[in-house]
Amino acid sequence: MTTSVTPWWKALNLRQEIRSASGQIDDVQMSLFRAVHATGADRPPYADADYYGDITHPTERLIDLLTEIAVRIGGGDDYLKARAVTRLDQGMGGGKSHACIGAYHLAANPGALLGTELGQKVTERARARIGRPLADGLGRPHVLVLPCDNMTPGAGVQELDGPAVNLYERFLWRLFSKDYTLFERYRRFWSDKHKIAEAISAVNRPVLIIVDEVLDYIGNGLDGANQTDLAAQDMAFLRALLDVVNDIPHVAMLVVMIASDIDKTALSPAAQARRDDLNSQLDRNGLPTTVTGVGDFADILRRRLFDSEAADEVLTATAALYEEVLTDKTWSKQIWDPIGASWRRNWRAEMAACYPFHPMLMSLAQSEWSKVAGFQRVRSTIRIFAATVYALQQRGKAGEWVPTLIGPGDLPLSDSTVREALLGSGLVEDDRTIANYRSLAEIEVINHDGSLGAARRQDLDRQPSTWGTNNPRAAERAATFIFLASVVGTLRPGRGRGASAPEVKAATSVPEATYTVTDADGVVDELVNPNQGMSALDITPGQGNNKPARYFLSTRLTHRMLVKNIRRTITETERDQVIADITKRLASSGPFRDLQFIPADSQRSPADVLATAGLDTAYTTRLIVLDPAQYSLRNGMEKPTLEALTVAMGLGQGSQQLPVQWASSAVYAVVNTQQRALARNLAVEYLARQKALQAPEVQNDDELKTIGAKELAEAKTQLERALKRAYQHVAYLAQPDPDGERYVDQLTFDKDNITALDGMLVWKGLAARDKVFDTGQFSAKALLHNLRDHDYGKTLSDIRAAFYSAPRLPLLYGGDRDLQQAIYDAVSQGVLSIIDGAGTAVEVTAPGQVNLASTGLRLAKPQPKTCTDCGQPVHEGPCSLSSDDTMAVSSTHKPSSPAGDTPRVPQQRETSGLSPDRSSEREQVRDRQVAFSFTKNLLANNDSADGFAALFRAFYMALDERQISYLQGTLQLVIQGDEAGRIQQHLEELGINGTFKEI
C-alpha cells in the first residue's frame, strides 16, 4: 500500500464498545425492553438518548417516522397533520427496534434527543410541516411501552404489571403509572372504545403508545397460555385500541409486526387467524413504513462503527490511488466492464460514501445479501463489518498488509468472529449447511491461524514477484469472494450461481500498477486448478466473452472434494509402494539377460541394501533398477546413492570393500531427484483417485463413478509418464584406459521419450559410450581389437569371464553367443587359434563348438606354417639350405638313407607339431614363476617412485584379472603413518599379520 496516504485503519477510530468487545457488538440487536426497563450494568448504552443520537445515522425514513410522532403528540392544534398509527413491518434486522427506541427517547426525553443531529433534522422537518416550532418539550408526553416479545400472556410481572393479567390491564397499569384507583376504574372495559378513549384522555398529556413485536404475543404466546377467554379479551382490546387512537388528539401509536409475506414464523390455525385479524386492523387504521433503505447501508455502518468521519484529504488521496487501475484499458475490457462496475462512473463520490469499504463490497451487501430472506439487513451487516474492521485494524497495527479499501475478498475468514457473523447472518439457512460452509472456509480458504487452507497455502508458497508485497493475500481474496458468492446459493440477482471469473479477479485487485490482469489470471487459474487449488468447486465453463466461467463452492460431496480429502490421508509408505509397483511393471530388460528391482529398506543404509542384494551374478548382463524411495541422483541429494553404487561395484574402501567379481556386467537405472518429486506428487494423486473410486459413496453414484474411473485412468497415465521420465540416469563400472583406474560412470538421458527403465534404450546409450557392443557390432575384428597380449594363452573360460568382469571389455549384445561367433569367425579366418593343453591347434567347424566353459582350451595367436624339411616358412620348390642346415637336416635322416639321395620336395608342417624346444617354451607361456628382490630409497627420487608405482599397478591388474595363482613374499617398507593404518586394515582383512613400528 502506498505509504503517502493515511490508511483507513489510522484515519478512522473504532467505537470503544467495539474495541472492548474485540469486534463483537453484543448490543447490535437493540432491545426496546432493555432500553426502557434495564438498570445497572444491564442497562445498555443506547438507553441514553445522547449516545443513541451519536450512533444513529439520520436516514430519511427514520426522520420521517419521528417527525410524524413529534407532530402528532407535540404539534398542538396541527396534530392532524400527522398520522396516529404507524406500523413497522420490515424483516428481521431492518432497524425496527432501533426506530422504536428512537421514538421512546423522543417522547421520554425530548430535550436530549432533539439536541442530536437526528433530533435537529426532526425538528426542522416538523417546522416545515406545521409552519412553527413544536411545543416545548413536546407537551411532556407520556410513553407507554408494551414490549410483547418480553411479555407472557396471562402471567404478568409484578414489578411491571402489578395486578394486571390480560394485555388491556397491562396497558392500563402502564398508562396510569401504577395508579391503582384509576386502574380499577377502567379495568372491566377491555373492549369498550369509549372507556378506552376516556382512560387515555384521563392522563391529560400527549401519549405515545409503542407495541413491539405484537405477533410474539398474539401468535404462539396466546396458544401457549391455552386460555380462550384471555385470547378473546386481548384481541378485542387491540381492535378497539387501534380504532380509538385515531380519534384522540395528541396520541400516537407505533406497532411492530413483520409483514406476513416475509415473516416465516410457523403459526397454528388459531394464531394465524389472530394475525390476519390484526393485519386487517392495522391496514385500516395505520400506515406501514420502514426506517432504512438500501442506500443507507454505508452511512449506517460508518455511524455505528466509527466515532468520526475521515478527513476530506484522506478520501481524496485514497480515491486517487485507484484512478490508474480503474481506467486501465485492459482492466476495463476484461474485468470492470464484464462485471458492470457502475460505481466507476462517479468513483470519488461513490468511494467517499462507502469509505473504508470498497463500493464493490457495499454493492454486494446492498443488492444481494439484503435480498436473502433470512438476512437481517442492518443488524447482520453491522456484525459482519464490525468484526471485519476490527480484525483488519489489528493486522495493520501488527505491521501486516491491510487493503487500501475493504473489498469483497477482504473479509478475514480466519477470524472466528467474522466467519461466525457471516454464517449466522441468515445468508445460510439451515444448521447443516452452516456447518458445511464453516468446514469449507477452513479447508478451502484459510484456517483459524492462517497457516492452512488451499488458497492460503498458495499465497504462502508463491515465489517472489513484483507485486507480491503489494498483494500478499491474492489467492485468499479470490477464494473469499467465491465463498461469499456461494453462501447465498442461487439468489444472486441477474448474476447466476456463484462468482464469475471477472468478479473473482476484480476481488484480487489492488491500486498498484505492478499487479496486472495477467497476474490476476494466474492467481485465479492456480486457485481453481482441480489438482492444486480448491477441491469443492463446481466450475461452469465459460462460453466466450459474454458468458465467463463461474465458480461455486458446493457443500455437496464432489469427486474432487473426496479426492482432496483422501489425498491428505495418503502416507509416504503407500506412495513409495505404488511407485515401486508401477516401476517394476514398466521396466523391461531389452538385451540384458536379467532384470532386477532392488526395493528400498528404510531400516538400513543404501550401501548395506545393495551389498546384501545378491547382485554379483556370474556370466550375466544385468539391468538393476533401484527403488526411488532410497536412491536418486542430482539435486545435491545423491551422496548416499553414489556411495552405495561405489560399494556395489567393488570400489569401496576398508570395510566397504566387497569381493565383487562381476560388477562390469551390472548396469544400474537410477531416478532423478527432481523428477522423483514430481512423480511422488502424481503417485499421491493416483492413489487418492484409486481410493476414491473404491469408496461406497462413489460406487453408489453412477455419475461419480464415471468421473472417478476417467480421472483414475488419466492419473495412471500421468504417473507412468512421469516415472519413465524420472529414470534419467544409468550408472556402470567404467575403465576406458586399460591401464587406468576403475570408476563409477554415469549416462544421463535428457530427452523425455528416453528412459532408463527400457533396457533397449539403455543398451543403445551405452553403445554410444563404448560400454557395450550393439547388435551385429561384435565381429572377429572387434574381438582381436579388444584382446591384449596377455589375453593370448588364457583359457576360453577366462576369456568368457573377462567379458563379464573386466570393465575394459564391452558387454556383448548376445552374450555368449556373440563371443562364440566371433571366436569361430576369427579362427576360420586364420587370425586366431584355439589350442589344447599340449599346444595343439583345435579345429572348430561351427560357433557352437567353441566351448566357452573349457578350462583346457586356450586362445593363441596363429603361428606361421613351416616346411618339415628346413623348418623355414612354407615355400615352393627345393629348400635353400646352408651347409650347416644341410647337415642338420641330413642328421635327421635314417641311417639307411644315403646322404646323396636326390633332393626331396620340402614337406609342409603345422605349428601344432612342436619340437621339444618349442614344447618347453609353451610350458613357460602357460605359467611362470617370478621372483625378485629390491632395496630402494625413494626419498627425492621421483623417477624411481613412478617406476615402482607402475610395477605395483601391473601387480594390481594381474591380481584383479585373476592371472596370479600363487603369492609368497615379504615386503618391508617405510611409509607415512596415515597410509600405514590403511595398509594394516587391508592386511587384517586378508588374515595377514604385519609388523608395524614407529621409527
Side-chain angles (χ1 to χ4, degrees):
M1 185 172 65
T2 304
T3 56
S4 59
V5 177
T6 303
W8 62 262
W9 53 272
K10 288 184 178 180
L12 296 172
N13 290 320
L14 269 175
R15 290 193 177 276
Q16 180 59 47
E17 61 268 25
I18 299 176
R19 296 198 304 269
S20 300
S22 300
Q24 301 184 59
I25 305 182
D26 294 331
D27 60 355
V28 68
Q29 182 174 348
M30 289 189 173
S31 168
L32 176 62
F33 177 81
R34 291 182 64 214
V36 175
H37 298 294
T39 60
D42 190 46
R43 188 172 186 267
Y46 54 79
D48 180 80
D50 291 323
Y51 178 83
Y52 174 88
D54 190 39
I55 66 172
T56 302
H57 173 69
T59 68
E60 288 297 311
R61 294 181 183 182
L62 180 59
I63 295 170
D64 280 341
L65 171 65
L66 297 184
T67 300
E68 291 287 334
I69 295 172
V71 170
R72 183 72 184 185
I73 64 177
D77 295 340
D78 294 312
Y79 73 92
L80 290 175
K81 291 183 179 180
R83 61 182 178 268
V85 179
T86 301
R87 174 187 181 180
L88 297 178
D89 63 353
Q90 279 181 291
M92 297 295 290
K96 301 184 301 299
S97 296
H98 196 100
C100 287
I101 294 171
Y104 171 77
H105 284 313
L106 176 67
N109 194 357
L113 186 75
L114 293 177
T116 66
E117 180 186 0
L118 172 62
Q120 291 171 4
K121 291 183 180 294
V122 170
T123 300
E124 292 172 3
R125 192 159 297 182
R127 179 193 289 270
R129 181 176 297 189
I130 64 177
R132 57 183 175 80
L134 293 166
D136 187 30
L138 298 181
R140 295 189 314 108
H142 176 70
V143 187
L144 188 159
V145 177
L146 292 175
C148 292
D149 54 346
N150 284 277
M151 299 173 72
T152 302
V157 178
Q158 182 64 38
E159 297 81 19
L160 302 177
D161 301 313
V165 177
N166 62 27
L167 190 60
Y168 171 61
E169 291 174 350
R170 292 180 172 185
F171 169 82
L172 287 178
W173 189 255
R174 287 168 169 79
L175 178 65
F176 296 136
S177 301
K178 304 181 181 181
D179 187 321
Y180 189 77
T181 301
L182 290 174
F183 172 77
E184 282 296 326
R185 182 184 301 173
Y186 294 98
R187 184 176 189 176
R188 295 172 295 164
F189 308 111
W190 39 265
S191 63
D192 189 328
K193 296 178 184 179
H194 174 71
K195 285 294 185 180
I196 294 173
E198 183 181 309
I200 295 173
S201 299
V203 176
N204 200 27
R205 291 162 58 187
V207 175
L208 172 61
I209 304 168
I210 303 176
V211 184
D212 191 17
E213 301 294 357
V214 66
L215 184 61
D216 286 2
Y217 186 95
I218 68 166
N220 293 326
L222 286 175
D223 278 351
N226 196 24
Q227 299 179 36
T228 305
D229 292 345
L230 178 65
Q233 291 173 6
D234 287 343
M235 288 304 299
F237 160 67
L238 288 173
R239 282 193 297 269
L241 180 64
L242 287 170
D243 281 341
V244 80
V245 165
N246 279 296
D247 300 331
I248 308 173
H250 311 301
V251 176
M253 184 175 181
L254 184 62
V255 181
V256 175
M257 188 169 83
I258 300 174
S260 302
D261 57 338
I262 59 176
D263 189 351
K264 304 304 180 182
T265 303
L267 299 174
S268 68
Q272 182 64 50
R274 289 192 291 271
R275 178 165 72 174
D276 293 342
D277 184 5
L278 189 58
N279 262 329
S280 64
Q281 292 296 322
L282 288 169
D283 289 343
R284 186 176 68 185
N285 294 292
L287 290 175
T289 190
T290 59
V291 292
T292 60
V294 172
D296 299 323
F297 264 49
D299 292 325
I300 292 174
L301 285 172
R302 277 207 314 275
R303 191 66 172 258
R304 191 70 174 87
L305 302 180
F306 305 106
D307 59 14
S308 62
E309 296 284 343
D312 289 340
E313 55 267 26
V314 173
L315 297 177
T316 300
T318 302
L321 289 177
Y322 284 85
E323 294 288 351
E324 183 176 0
V325 69
L326 292 178
T327 56
D328 180 83
K329 291 183 179 180
T330 305
W331 276 97
S332 297
K333 180 180 179 180
Q334 298 186 29
I335 306 299
W336 308 130
D337 292 343
I339 70 173
S342 58
W343 34 263
R344 283 192 306 152
R345 301 190 192 102
N346 190 16
W347 167 246
R348 290 178 179 266
E350 291 280 356
M351 189 230 71
C354 298
Y355 187 87
F357 305 104
H358 196 289
M360 186 176 174
L361 173 60
M362 200 57 63
S363 175
L364 181 71
Q366 293 176 349
S367 304
E368 299 184 24
W369 293 356
S370 62
K371 299 293 191 299
V372 180
F375 187 71
Q376 300 179 21
R377 296 185 61 188
V378 176
R379 184 183 305 160
S380 297
T381 308
I382 290 175
R383 278 202 179 104
I384 295 169
F385 283 33
T388 296
V389 168
Y390 178 80
L392 292 178
Q393 187 180 67
Q394 295 304 113
R395 284 185 184 176
K397 290 180 178 180
E400 299 180 36
W401 180 84
V402 175
T404 307
L405 292 174
I406 304 171
D410 296 319
L411 274 63
L413 297 180
S414 58
D415 186 273
S416 61
T417 304
V418 175
R419 185 175 62 250
E420 296 309 312
L422 181 66
L423 294 176
S425 65
L427 291 175
V428 185
E429 294 185 356
D430 63 279
D431 291 340
R432 180 177 180 182
T433 305
I434 288 175
N436 288 340
Y437 272 117
R438 182 180 292 114
S439 176
L440 285 176
E442 291 250 346
I443 296 172
E444 303 288 23
V445 187
I446 185 171
N447 71 338
H448 66 284
D449 64 1
S451 63
L452 295 175
R456 181 58 178 155
R457 286 311 314 172
Q458 289 188 353
D459 286 330
L460 293 174
D461 297 341
R462 183 174 291 111
Q463 295 297 316
S465 64
T466 56
W467 54 267
T469 56
N470 297 322
N471 198 2
R473 294 178 178 265
E476 179 189 340
R477 300 173 77 207
T480 298
F481 180 73
I482 294 175
F483 184 88
L484 296 185
S486 300
V487 294
V488 298
T490 59
L491 299 175
R492 299 194 68 200
R495 294 186 182 274
R497 184 169 177 258
S500 69
E503 287 179 310
V504 178
K505 295 169 188 175
T508 71
S509 66
V510 288
E512 299 286 349
T514 55
Y515 184 72
T516 66
V517 173
T518 302
D519 297 323
D521 290 340
V523 168
V524 175
D525 289 345
E526 184 181 14
L527 182 66
V528 303
N529 185 297
N531 296 322
Q532 303 174 14
M534 304 169 76
S535 63
L537 277 183
D538 278 351
I539 301 177
T540 303
Q543 299 177 11
N545 295 330
N546 295 327
K547 296 189 71 175
R550 302 194 71 84
Y551 312 114
F552 180 79
L553 263 178
S554 175
T555 58
R556 175 184 176 270
L557 176 68
T558 65
H559 184 261
R560 183 165 58 171
M561 188 188 309
L562 180 62
V563 167
K564 187 169 184 178
N565 292 337
I566 293 176
R567 186 188 297 129
R568 294 198 299 268
T569 69
I570 304 298
T571 64
E572 292 184 0
T573 301
E574 291 177 297
R575 177 200 67 193
D576 292 342
Q577 185 58 54
V578 76
I579 288 177
D581 292 342
I582 294 179
T583 298
K584 285 188 284 186
R585 179 168 52 79
L586 294 176
S588 61
S589 61
F592 292 93
R593 182 177 172 185
D594 189 23
L595 175 67
Q596 292 179 257
F597 179 84
I598 307 303
D601 185 347
S602 60
Q603 303 301 315
R604 297 190 294 159
S605 69
D608 190 28
V609 172
L610 291 189
T612 58
L615 303 178
D616 202 34
T617 308
Y619 307 113
T620 306
T621 53
R622 299 157 336 267
L623 178 60
I624 301 171
V625 180
L626 301 184
D627 193 337
Q630 197 163 24
Y631 303 93
S632 70
L633 292 175
R634 303 293 188 272
N635 206 32
M637 300 175 64
E638 61 184 9
K639 183 178 180 181
T641 299
L642 289 177
E643 291 176 350
L645 289 171
T646 301
V647 171
M649 296 184 190
L651 303 179
Q653 301 294 321
S655 61
Q656 295 292 313
Q657 186 173 20
L658 301 181
V660 179
Q661 182 176 355
W662 310 102
S664 180
S665 51
V667 174
Y668 296 83
V670 192
V671 78
N672 176 272
T673 303
Q674 186 174 3
Q675 294 293 332
R676 176 182 65 179
L678 175 61
R680 282 176 167 175
N681 291 335
L682 292 174
V684 172
E685 295 297 331
Y686 170 77
L687 278 172
R689 282 161 175 78
Q690 186 181 62
K691 290 187 176 184
L693 186 59
Q694 298 168 357
E697 52 265 53
V698 173
Q699 289 296 315
N700 296 330
D701 187 316
D702 291 340
E703 180 183 356
L704 290 179
K705 190 174 181 180
T706 301
I707 294 173
K710 180 181 177 182
E711 290 194 8
L712 178 61
E714 293 174 352
K716 179 181 178 183
T717 300
Q718 291 178 357
L719 175 57
E720 290 177 346
R721 186 182 299 120
L723 277 175
K724 289 180 180 179
R725 183 69 189 97
Y727 273 91
Q728 289 183 289
H729 306 295
V730 176
Y732 58 92
L733 185 63
Q735 189 185 21
D737 180 1
D739 296 324
E741 298 289 340
R742 298 181 177 189
Y743 60 91
V744 178
D745 202 359
Q746 296 180 31
L747 168 65
T748 298
F749 298 131
D750 294 324
K751 295 182 178 179
D752 291 345
N753 60 342
I754 301 180
T755 175
L757 293 178
D758 188 329
M760 180 61 73
L761 297 177
V762 172
W763 195 275
K764 295 289 184 183
L766 292 175
R769 293 285 192 92
D770 295 328
K771 171 62 180 176
V772 303
F773 283 109
D774 207 353
T775 178
Q777 288 185 342
F778 190 59
S779 61
K781 183 177 180 181
L783 171 64
L784 294 176
H785 176 75
N786 281 277
L787 291 177
R788 295 188 297 180
D789 288 342
H790 68 262
D791 289 325
Y792 294 99
K794 287 186 177 180
T795 66
L796 293 184
S797 176
D798 289 341
I799 294 296
R800 177 198 183 196
F803 275 94
Y804 291 97
S805 61
R808 65 179 178 82
L809 295 175
L811 303 179
L812 305 180
Y813 187 91
D816 290 353
R817 293 193 307 276
D818 283 2
L819 183 57
Q820 287 175 312
Q821 184 69 53
I823 293 175
Y824 171 75
D825 291 343
V827 172
S828 299
Q829 296 168 17
V831 294
L832 189 68
S833 295
I834 300 176
I835 61 176
D836 58 17
T840 303
V842 177
E843 297 290 337
V844 290
T845 59
Q849 290 186 354
V850 178
N851 183 8
L852 296 180
S854 173
T855 58
L857 298 178
R858 302 174 182 272
L859 287 185
K861 291 182 178 180
Q863 298 190 14
K865 296 180 180 179
T866 59
C867 175
T868 57
D869 293 322
C870 64
Q872 299 297 315
V874 172
H875 55 83
E876 295 181 358
C879 297
S880 299
L881 304 175
S882 64
S883 58
D884 293 337
D885 291 335
T886 303
M887 290 177 62
V889 171
S890 299
S891 66
T892 62
H893 293 168
K894 296 179 180 179
S896 58
S897 301
D901 284 348
T902 304
R904 302 170 56 192
V905 177
Q907 299 293 316
Q908 178 175 308
R909 64 179 182 181
E910 299 291 342
T911 57
S912 57
L914 298 177
S915 66
D917 293 339
R918 292 186 181 273
S919 177
S920 65
E921 291 178 4
R922 174 60 58 193
E923 291 298 327
Q924 292 178 6
V925 170
R926 291 177 61 186
D927 279 309
R928 292 184 179 181
Q929 185 182 53
V930 179
F932 61 91
S933 63
F934 56 86
T935 300
K936 197 73 173 179
N937 187 347
L938 301 181
L939 291 176
N941 193 339
N942 292 335
D943 291 340
S944 295
D946 291 341
F948 276 98
L951 171 65
F952 283 106
R953 186 180 297 113
F955 285 162
Y956 165 77
M957 295 298 299
L959 281 168
D960 191 53
E961 296 183 5
R962 307 303 189 266
Q963 297 180 29
I964 297 176
S965 58
Y966 179 78
L967 283 172
Q968 179 181 0
T970 299
L971 184 65
Q972 183 174 338
L973 64 158
V974 178
I975 191 171
Q976 291 183 356
D978 292 342
E979 292 300 324
R982 296 189 183 94
I983 291 177
Q984 183 176 12
Q985 183 178 0
H986 287 300
L987 290 174
E988 291 173 352
E989 291 172 358
L990 293 171
I992 300 174
N993 294 322
T995 300
F996 294 83
K997 62 181 180 178
E998 299 293 334
I999 60 173

